[in-house]
Amino acid sequence: MRNKAAHSEKAFALKTHEVRIRRAFELGPNVSSAVNAMAVETVMQHALNRVQQSGASLVEDLGHNPFEDRRAAAEILSQNAELMAELGDQAWRVELGLGVWLLLGKMRVERDAFLAKIHPDQPMGKDASAPPSPSIERSEEK
């Protein structure tokens, strides 16, 4: 996917790779759907918050915040096709990020399980493979 995007003159859209992306994140029953739902929810909540905050700045001009109610803010968002398309693109990017994060986490868990099998006498876990943190000494100023 990356190579196609890098070597193509056409605009790259994650949505055109929907099946491939969703298949990659199917780590268990409905995981891919849950990743999608989290991405859409995250993007929509952020957009609604921004609309509501912009409405607060209209109080002086209009005498009230027309977007104080989240339903009203959602209605305004849903009526703007261009904005909804942009939010859809953002949701795809968030979904890709969440999916990659889950894949990396699963790889870490699988790696730790594998290492525990071949080295049962070595400690595993969060701090077992991490290098020691350097200590920072601060001199007191007088």
Side-chain angles (χ1 to χ4, degrees):
M1 233 174 20
R2 192 214 71 78
N3 286 342
K4 279 186 178 182
H7 299 290
S8 174
E9 292 182 20
K10 296 179 183 177
F12 180 78
L14 287 171
K15 183 162 180 46
T16 60
H17 301 280
E18 177 178 1
V19 172
R20 193 172 183 189
I21 291 170
R22 296 259 164 79
R23 198 175 309 139
F25 300 150
E26 197 57 65
L27 302 172
N30 301 316
V31 171
S32 181
S33 297
V35 170
N36 172 261
M38 283 190 297
V40 170
E41 179 71 16
T42 299
V43 169
M44 287 306 295
Q45 289 301 323
H46 179 71
L48 287 172
N49 288 341
R50 288 181 50 205
V51 168
Q52 285 189 288
Q53 289 171 355
S54 71
S57 66
L58 297 174
V59 170
E60 194 169 306
D61 295 338
L62 302 176
H64 71 286
N65 180 348
F67 310 125
E68 192 167 331
D69 179 283
R70 285 183 89 70
R71 182 171 288 157
E75 180 72 24
I76 296 297
L77 285 176
S78 68
Q79 292 174 1
N80 186 327
E82 188 176 314
L83 180 58
M84 290 303 293
E86 175 58 32
L87 292 175
D89 290 343
Q90 286 178 16
W92 274 106
R93 290 190 297 272
V94 170
E95 184 172 346
L96 180 63
L98 287 170
V100 168
W101 177 71
L102 283 174
L103 286 172
L104 291 173
K106 181 159 178 58
M107 289 169 59
R108 172 75 189 254
V109 167
E110 295 294 328
R111 182 205 67 180
D112 287 351
F114 173 75
L115 290 175
K117 284 181 183 178
I118 62 171
H119 300 292
D121 55 335
Q122 291 184 352
M124 295 290 146
K126 179 182 163 201
D127 298 323
S129 62
S133 299
S135 60
I136 300 173
E137 295 182 27
R138 295 185 179 160
S139 60
E140 293 184 26
E141 294 181 35
K142 294 184 180 180

